[in-house]
Amino acid sequence: MLRPALDRPTALLNREESWLNFNWRVLEEAQDPLNPLLERVKFLAISASNLDEFFEVRVGGLLQQLEDGYNATTPDGLTMVEERELLNRLTHEFVEEQYSCWNEQLRPKLAEQGIRVLTIDQLDDDTLAYVDDYCERELDPLLTPVTVDPSHPFPRVINKALCVALLLRRRRRSSLTYTGVVTVPRALPRLVRLPSQGTIDFIFLADLVTYHAARMYHGYDIVSSAAFRVTRNSNLYLQEEESRNLLESVRAELHNRRKGDAVRMEIESNANPEIIERLRTVFELDRWQVFPVNGPVNLSRLFNVYEQADRPELKFRAFAPRELRLTAKSKDLFEELRRHVNTRQAENRPRLTLLPFLMRALVRALPEHPQINAHFDDEAGLVRRYAAVHIGIATQTPSGLLVPVIHHAETLDLWRAAAELARLTAAARDGTATRDELSGSTITITSLGALGGIATTPIINHPEVAIVGVNRIVERPVIRDGQIVNRQIMNLSSSFDHRVIDGWAAAEFIQRVKGLLEQPATLFID
């Protein structure tokens, strides 16, 4: 595949859209039923936290430039106004998908596992008594209710502070309505654990603030209420030439992050339209910057569910590092590590042979030498380089030599590579491999150790430009720390098409692969 010219806008991805696509992949982890349930909740919270930063920096910076009169064309060909409209559509679609994931997938699944996020209406009398006591004892001392009127301006809402807006009506003069605002205190957990038997129950702190508001606004009737949250421009703008001290400038800008221009408002979707319009006017937001959400405002609060739910079976198993000690009898680090892993492998994992390690080493080395992961078209005199790594495995079968292909080897860890290797070579030997499974390789591995060879010249699998072969492992005397000791040695054999790859580049590539195999523990790291 030829590389497109980078001076053409159609060849480039939009920077902001590319970032949002990354966050979609985080959200897909929350939607993946193969992940443990509480890990999915955590991924959803991470996607929300990521989106906060995107609005604070990326969207905030874009809107600042537009406000300053800039409307330049981005490298992908969009004007800044067009980019803003693109972000309008993409971010709203993303938020809708987040809440769909929470409402339709995660929350019902949590309830099935005895982990419930309740509302005030769902509490029984005993739990409601606990909530009343909690509000009086823990919550009320931290609340500062504000009523907006000519003598009391709208309070300053700091960046990402969760608040509750209320539409109030005086009991004596019912013709006018007022806006009330209460900030949800950050000193308390965003989800409050409730006493329960047999289940793990939570309630959002914002729901408790709304519930307790009636006791704070004496003389008013609460017509309507809604939780909301404002994200502010947190991009850094430093005028270095005018700054005496860069550190002071950074400190000042970090302080200003708490009071930058609003770039987004999240609010409950069932909020009274009058509340939404009043808040939108106060924060000077366009309509596209208002995000009505069908669920709890600020999904990053769900981190609390993950942290407070003591259900290890619904989480990834905690990583416990193990120390591998080499004894005086140990002759080869690679073999010792492989033997150690295979001894302690899970029942559903394949045994690790040499080839999965070599595949991982190739995947690591090829991005540094892209000319090797390529095809050469003799007739056209054209080299096609590939980003994806499709590794052919030369396999002797009753029908002769076949080369089943492990497609997209760069996406496989050692275990999955070993499993795919076993599956494809077995299919090749029993004649069930499909045409797609026997074609499309970009580089090939051949194993000649079974024939007893210790140094060979493998033949390139046309139209590829390189092949790597492994040979028989033999014991040889080597000098270590001035002593002659026996060590297990294996030669790597390779062939390269010198019309495409010169000898120096080929040697660098093989040395890189050799270095990776000599440090096999690093190949477990994705």
Side-chain angles (χ1 to χ4, degrees):
M1 182 172 61
L2 291 175
R3 288 187 173 182
L6 295 183
D7 58 351
R8 289 186 298 154
T10 54
L12 301 176
L13 298 174
N14 180 268
R15 175 175 178 257
E16 318 306 347
E17 183 177 8
S18 178
W19 188 98
L20 286 170
N21 287 338
F22 153 75
N23 210 27
W24 268 105
R25 293 192 288 276
V26 178
L27 180 57
E28 286 168 1
E29 293 295 324
Q31 298 170 323
D32 187 352
L34 297 179
N35 286 328
L37 181 56
L38 286 174
E39 298 294 342
R40 294 171 64 186
V41 174
K42 187 176 181 180
F43 276 118
L44 180 60
I46 292 171
S47 76
S49 178
N50 288 347
L51 194 63
D52 286 348
E53 183 178 344
F54 180 76
F55 270 93
E56 287 180 286
V57 179
R58 298 287 187 91
V59 177
L62 173 64
L63 296 180
Q64 181 70 47
Q65 291 180 76
L66 289 171
E67 184 178 320
D68 292 341
Y70 294 100
N71 190 24
T73 301
T74 58
D76 60 305
L78 295 179
T79 65
M80 289 183 172
V81 171
E82 292 172 333
E83 188 174 55
R84 181 188 63 192
E85 295 307 310
L86 175 67
L87 296 185
N88 171 16
R89 176 176 60 83
L90 294 179
T91 53
H92 278 272
E93 289 176 355
F94 184 81
V95 170
E96 287 179 9
E97 192 66 22
Q98 282 182 309
Y99 281 88
S100 174
C101 177
W102 169 247
N103 291 318
E104 299 172 17
Q105 299 179 42
L106 299 185
R107 190 172 183 180
K109 290 290 184 182
L110 287 170
E112 291 175 9
Q113 295 293 331
I115 302 173
R116 304 186 299 174
V117 180
L118 305 175
T119 63
I120 287 290
D121 296 337
Q122 295 174 301
L123 305 185
D124 58 31
D125 292 341
D126 291 340
T127 308
L128 201 57
Y130 171 85
V131 164
D132 288 333
D133 178 67
Y134 181 89
C135 289
E136 290 294 337
R137 178 171 38 86
E138 302 286 347
L139 184 60
D140 188 79
L142 300 176
L143 297 180
T144 305
V146 175
T147 304
V148 179
D149 57 30
S151 60
H152 298 88
F154 200 94
R156 183 69 192 179
V157 176
I158 65 174
N159 184 30
K160 296 188 293 186
L162 184 62
C163 302
V164 175
L166 305 108
L167 197 61
L168 307 171
R169 179 177 290 120
R170 289 186 185 275
R171 289 172 183 161
R172 294 182 179 179
R173 291 183 295 172
S174 59
S175 59
L176 297 177
T177 57
Y178 300 85
T179 303
V181 178
V182 184
T183 300
V184 178
R186 293 184 172 182
L188 296 176
R190 290 307 194 209
L191 277 97
V192 177
R193 181 78 177 265
L194 299 173
S196 58
Q197 294 291 332
T199 58
I200 300 174
D201 293 346
F202 299 95
I203 189 168
F204 284 107
L205 184 62
D207 290 347
L208 298 187
V209 172
T210 302
Y211 169 72
H212 190 64
R215 304 183 187 183
M216 297 186 292
Y217 284 96
H218 301 290
Y220 290 91
D221 289 324
I222 297 177
V223 178
S224 181
S225 63
F228 74 95
R229 180 171 176 260
V230 170
T231 308
R232 296 186 178 275
N233 181 359
S234 298
N235 207 5
L236 291 176
Y237 302 98
L238 300 179
Q239 300 295 329
E240 294 187 38
E241 295 180 0
E242 301 176 5
S243 300
R244 295 181 182 178
N245 186 309
L246 182 60
L247 181 58
E248 289 181 2
S249 297
V250 171
R251 283 175 176 166
E253 284 295 328
L254 289 175
H255 176 73
N256 288 338
R257 280 187 170 200
R258 295 166 61 90
K259 55 183 181 180
D261 291 339
V263 294
R264 173 185 62 163
M265 182 177 72
E266 303 160 89
I267 190 166
E268 292 173 333
S269 58
N270 59 355
N272 188 301
E274 188 173 351
I275 290 180
I276 296 176
E277 193 59 27
R278 289 185 183 187
L279 294 176
R280 191 181 71 81
T281 302
V282 166
F283 297 120
E284 299 179 335
L285 294 169
D286 292 334
R287 295 190 185 281
W288 76 270
Q289 293 171 277
V290 177
F291 286 74
V293 297
N294 182 25
V297 174
N298 183 16
L299 287 172
S300 61
R301 292 183 286 167
L302 296 176
F303 277 119
N304 292 81
V305 174
Y306 178 89
E307 293 166 355
Q308 295 186 51
D310 186 19
R311 296 287 297 277
E313 75 278 11
L314 300 180
K315 301 178 181 180
F316 287 132
R317 188 173 60 182
F319 175 70
R322 294 178 179 175
E323 184 176 347
L324 174 61
R325 294 183 179 273
L326 299 181
T327 67
K329 297 181 180 180
S330 301
K331 297 181 179 180
D332 182 85
L333 173 61
F334 180 86
E335 284 301 313
E336 287 288 338
L337 177 63
R338 188 167 67 87
R339 188 179 302 113
H340 176 80
V341 171
N342 282 334
T343 301
R344 289 169 168 77
Q345 68 176 340
E347 293 182 359
N348 60 342
R349 282 182 167 178
R351 295 184 64 82
L352 293 178
T353 62
L354 169 65
L355 291 187
F357 286 91
L358 179 56
M359 290 167 55
R360 287 289 294 169
L362 292 181
V363 165
R364 290 280 187 86
L366 284 171
E368 303 166 18
H369 304 272
Q371 71 274 29
I372 292 174
N373 191 47
H375 287 175
F376 180 60
D377 187 333
D378 298 275
E379 295 182 0
L382 186 66
V383 177
R384 293 182 173 86
R385 295 181 179 180
Y386 295 87
V389 181
H390 308 308
I391 300 178
I393 305 294
T395 305
Q396 188 62 40
T397 75
S399 302
L401 187 68
L402 295 178
V403 185
V405 181
I406 298 177
H407 291 276
H408 291 285
E410 75 279 4
T411 66
L412 305 178
D413 60 19
L414 271 171
W415 304 107
R416 289 190 293 168
E420 189 68 358
L421 174 68
R423 184 187 72 80
L424 285 172
T425 53
R429 291 190 179 102
D430 63 23
T432 60
T434 66
R435 182 172 182 177
D436 287 343
E437 292 172 336
L438 295 173
S439 60
S441 58
T442 57
I443 189 170
T444 294
I445 294 174
T446 183
S447 178
L448 303 167
L451 298 177
I454 61 172
T456 53
T457 305
I459 300 173
I460 298 172
N461 184 22
H462 181 79
E464 298 166 24
V465 298
I467 187 171
V468 178
V470 296
N471 297 284
R472 185 163 61 93
I473 298 174
V474 296
E475 196 170 83
R476 290 284 187 269
V478 297
I479 297 177
R480 288 287 186 272
D481 300 325
Q483 301 292 322
I484 298 177
V485 295
N486 287 337
R487 287 289 185 266
Q488 290 185 320
I489 303 294
M490 184 196 72
N491 292 321
L492 279 179
S493 298
S494 57
S495 298
F496 299 89
D497 190 331
H498 283 271
R499 295 172 297 177
V500 179
I501 304 162
D502 62 37
W504 182 266
E508 280 189 326
F509 173 71
I510 288 298
Q511 285 299 313
R512 174 61 171 147
V513 172
K514 171 180 173 288
L516 289 166
L517 291 175
E518 289 175 341
Q519 301 291 330
T522 63
L523 298 176
F524 283 91
I525 304 171
D526 291 331

